[in-house]
Amino acid sequence: MALWMETGSEPKTETEIADLEAISALKESTALELKEKGNELVKKGKKHYPEAIHCYSRAINQKALNDHDTSVLLSNRAHVNLLLGNYRRALSDSQDAIKLFPANVKAYYRAAKACLSLNLLAEAKSYCETGVGKDPSNEELKKLAKQIDLKKLEQEQREAQVSKALVEAKDLVSAIEDRRLKLGNAMYRELTGLRKPILDKNGILHWPVLLLYAEFMSSDFIEDFCETDICPPLPWDKENHYSRDAIELYYEAGSGICLSKSKILRYLLEGTAAANVESIGEEEKDAADGSPYDSSAGSYKWVKVNEKRTLHNMLKEPNFVIPMIPVFYVVSKRSGFYKDFITGKWRPPA
C-alpha cells in the first residue's frame, strides 16, 4: 500500500498510484473543509479568532492545495492576525501569500495594513502601489494609500517639531554656558510649572522669575524678565510694610548642586515635542558639582541683591545656583520677621 512506501520513492503499481491519489484527494478535501471552518469562525467574532487561525494553519500544513489556494489561506490567516493585533505575523503571512501567488491583491492590502500598524510607512506605501498596479479599481487600497500619506505627513511634521525643540533647547543651553551660569534642580514647581527661559532672535535671554515673600510664603511671578533689565517695580501690601522703599531682595547662595549639560537639556525639553526622545546627542557623563554651602549646617546664606544691577549680572554671581528659573526672596525691613531672616533663623520649606 502507498501508506507504507518509503519517502521519495515513486509508486510502481496501479494500486499504489490509486492509493496516493486517494490520500491526496483526502488531504485536499480536509484542507478545504478546514478553510471553510476557519471562515465561519471568523464570522462568529473575536472570541473565535484563535481557533480560526488554528484551522487555517492545519489547512496550510496539509500541503494539498495549489499555490493560489494556499496563498488565499495565508492571506486569510494574515487577516485574522491583523484583527488580533499580531502585526508581525500578519505581515509574514501576507508576504508568503504574495510569493506563492503575486496576483493576490488582498495579500497586498493586508501587508500594507500590517506595515502601517508597524509604522513601516515606506513599505506600506510600496505594497499599496503594487496592489493598485494589479487592480487599478481597488478602492480599499486607494483609501489605505491616503491614510498612509496622511500618517507620513504627520510623522514628518512631528519630526520637524522634535528637531525644532532640540535645536532651541541646545541653543538655550549654549547661551547659558556662554554666560557661565549655573543651573540646579528646579524648586517650587507647583508655582512655576514648566516655565523656562527663552532665547530671543537677538541672543538675549528672557527669564521667568519667581518672587517669594518669605514671611508669608506668598508669591508673585514675572513672566518675562529680560537679562539686560534691572529689577522691575514690585507690588506692595495695604499696610505699606512692603512698600518699595522698605523691601529688599535676596537669593540663596549655593543652593543645591550644579547640573550637567545633558540634565539641563532634558529639563528644557520637558513639555515639548522632544520630551521623550531617547538620544539628545549629549552623551557626556552627568557629573555635577557640589554646592559650595552646606544646607544642613543649621543656617542659610542669604545674599542681598543690588537692584541697580541687571538680571544678567545677578545671575552670574559665582555662588548663585539658579533652580532652573531665578528665585528671589522678598523681605521688608519694617517687619519683625526681617531679623530672623537675615540671621539665618528662617529656612524655606522643604
Side-chain angles (χ1 to χ4, degrees):
M1 293 179 64
L3 286 173
W4 308 112
M5 289 176 58
E6 293 182 6
T7 303
S9 62
E10 294 293 330
K12 297 178 180 179
T13 67
E14 290 184 3
T15 301
E16 289 176 342
I17 293 172
D19 286 345
L20 284 176
E21 288 176 349
I23 292 170
S24 178
L26 181 61
K27 285 187 173 183
E28 181 178 358
S29 175
T30 300
L32 292 174
E33 287 178 7
L34 287 166
K35 174 189 173 185
E36 291 306 316
K37 184 179 179 181
N39 292 345
E40 291 300 318
L41 287 166
V42 172
K43 293 175 184 178
K44 289 182 178 181
K46 187 173 182 179
K47 180 180 178 181
H48 300 276
Y49 290 168
E51 190 180 351
I53 287 178
H54 181 62
C55 285
Y56 291 139
S57 298
R58 287 178 60 198
I60 293 166
N61 292 336
Q62 295 295 319
K63 297 180 181 179
L65 302 179
N66 59 34
D67 287 350
H68 171 272
D69 290 339
T70 304
S71 175
V72 171
L73 279 169
L74 286 162
S75 181
N76 287 358
R77 191 169 69 179
H79 170 62
V80 184
N81 274 315
L82 277 173
L83 294 174
L84 287 171
N86 300 328
Y87 303 122
R88 288 286 177 189
R89 294 178 184 176
L91 178 57
S92 178
D93 277 347
S94 299
Q95 290 169 333
D96 289 343
I98 291 167
K99 287 177 186 176
L100 278 176
F101 191 70
N104 187 343
V105 175
K106 284 186 177 181
Y108 289 101
Y109 176 79
R110 287 160 186 167
K113 284 205 74 171
C115 286
L116 178 59
S117 297
L118 293 167
N119 206 36
L120 303 172
L121 301 186
E123 292 89 338
K125 190 63 182 293
S126 176
Y127 282 119
C128 272
E129 289 174 346
T130 305
V132 170
K134 295 181 180 298
D135 183 7
S137 63
N138 193 300
E139 293 301 323
E140 283 189 326
L141 277 169
K142 292 177 183 178
K143 183 179 178 180
L144 184 58
K146 290 180 180 179
Q147 292 176 14
I148 294 166
D149 288 338
L150 180 60
K151 188 167 183 179
K152 187 177 180 182
L153 177 61
E154 291 172 350
Q155 183 171 293
E156 289 171 351
Q157 291 173 340
R158 165 77 178 173
E159 289 171 354
Q161 291 170 352
V162 169
S163 178
K164 181 174 181 288
L166 277 170
V167 169
E168 290 177 351
K170 288 182 178 182
D171 287 346
L172 193 48
V173 170
S174 294
I176 290 168
E177 283 188 323
D178 291 344
R179 289 159 174 76
R180 297 184 179 179
L181 304 180
K182 296 170 287 298
L183 268 64
N185 286 314
M187 297 172 60
Y188 307 113
R189 292 294 291 272
E190 70 278 8
L191 298 175
T192 63
L194 291 176
R195 292 179 175 89
K196 301 158 193 170
I198 296 172
L199 187 68
D200 69 21
K201 61 182 180 181
N202 297 315
I204 303 297
L205 279 174
H206 297 255
W207 292 88
V209 173
L210 180 64
L211 302 173
L212 287 177
Y213 294 83
E215 183 175 4
F216 309 104
M217 281 309 290
S218 59
S219 63
D220 280 317
F221 204 86
I222 301 174
E223 293 283 353
D224 185 346
F225 195 155
C226 180
E227 65 177 344
T228 58
D229 290 344
I230 60 172
C231 187
L234 300 173
W236 54 85
D237 65 335
K238 294 180 180 179
E239 289 77 22
N240 284 330
H241 288 171
Y242 280 72
S243 59
R244 193 64 187 86
D245 61 331
I247 64 172
E248 293 177 346
L249 265 66
Y250 290 81
Y251 67 86
E252 185 183 348
S255 58
I257 59 174
C258 303
L259 298 181
S260 68
K261 182 177 179 179
S262 60
K263 286 185 177 179
I264 294 171
L265 190 53
R266 280 293 179 192
Y267 170 82
L268 295 174
L269 290 173
E270 286 184 26
T272 73
N276 297 318
V277 171
E278 291 184 8
S279 175
I280 54 177
E282 302 294 339
E283 305 301 332
E284 71 276 5
K285 186 178 179 181
D286 281 346
D289 298 324
S291 168
Y293 294 94
D294 184 359
S295 61
S296 64
S299 64
Y300 272 76
K301 174 67 175 179
W302 300 110
V303 179
K304 184 180 177 182
V305 171
N306 180 349
E307 298 176 32
K308 293 182 180 180
R309 302 176 71 197
T310 64
L311 178 62
H312 167 70
N313 287 328
M314 297 182 211
L315 299 182
K316 72 176 185 178
E317 287 292 339
N319 59 1
F320 200 154
V321 180
I322 306 164
M324 284 304 169
I325 69 169
V327 177
F328 294 106
Y329 294 84
V330 185
V331 294
S332 170
K333 294 180 290 185
R334 297 174 184 169
S335 169
F337 171 78
Y338 180 72
K339 184 177 179 181
D340 289 342
F341 180 84
I342 61 173
T343 57
K345 294 181 180 180
W346 179 84
R347 289 174 178 240

